[in-house]
Amino acid sequence: HTRYISVTGVQTCALPISPQNTFMIGDGIPDMKSAQNAGVPAIAIEFGYTAMPILHKYEPMAVLKHYSHLPNLLKELVT
């Protein structure tokens, strides 16, 4: 099984489906809390509206510095 990830302005990539490669990507406290409640790792968006020191309190698995980095970041996290 393959899940296709597509984000506007970002190259589409395909990853195998499993709970270990399901991520919540967000820039706010509700996003980080939703990831925790869902039992999935969070990826914090560095360029969002919430300061990174606040998001780091929720222990995101990774930090996205720019949308163009998303495909490579996802590949790194699931390999």
Side-chain angles (χ1 to χ4, degrees):
H1 293 87
T2 301
R3 177 178 353 147
Y4 293 92
I5 300 170
S6 181
V7 177
T8 302
V10 176
Q11 180 181 11
T12 301
C13 61
L15 300 170
I17 295 174
S18 76
Q20 293 78 23
N21 63 22
T22 299
F23 303 96
M24 173 63 173
I25 302 172
D27 65 352
I29 294 169
D31 303 322
M32 300 298 109
K33 287 184 176 181
S34 293
Q36 290 175 340
N37 291 338
V40 299
I43 298 174
I45 296 177
E46 182 179 74
F47 49 91
Y49 72 91
T50 304
M52 282 310 304
I54 295 170
L55 295 180
H56 277 298
K57 292 178 184 177
Y58 296 92
E59 301 178 353
M61 176 178 264
V63 175
L64 183 63
K65 296 181 183 287
H66 190 275
Y67 284 125
S68 65
H69 301 162
L70 184 58
N72 287 334
L73 177 61
L74 292 173
K75 288 176 188 173
E76 289 174 21
L77 294 175
V78 298
T79 56

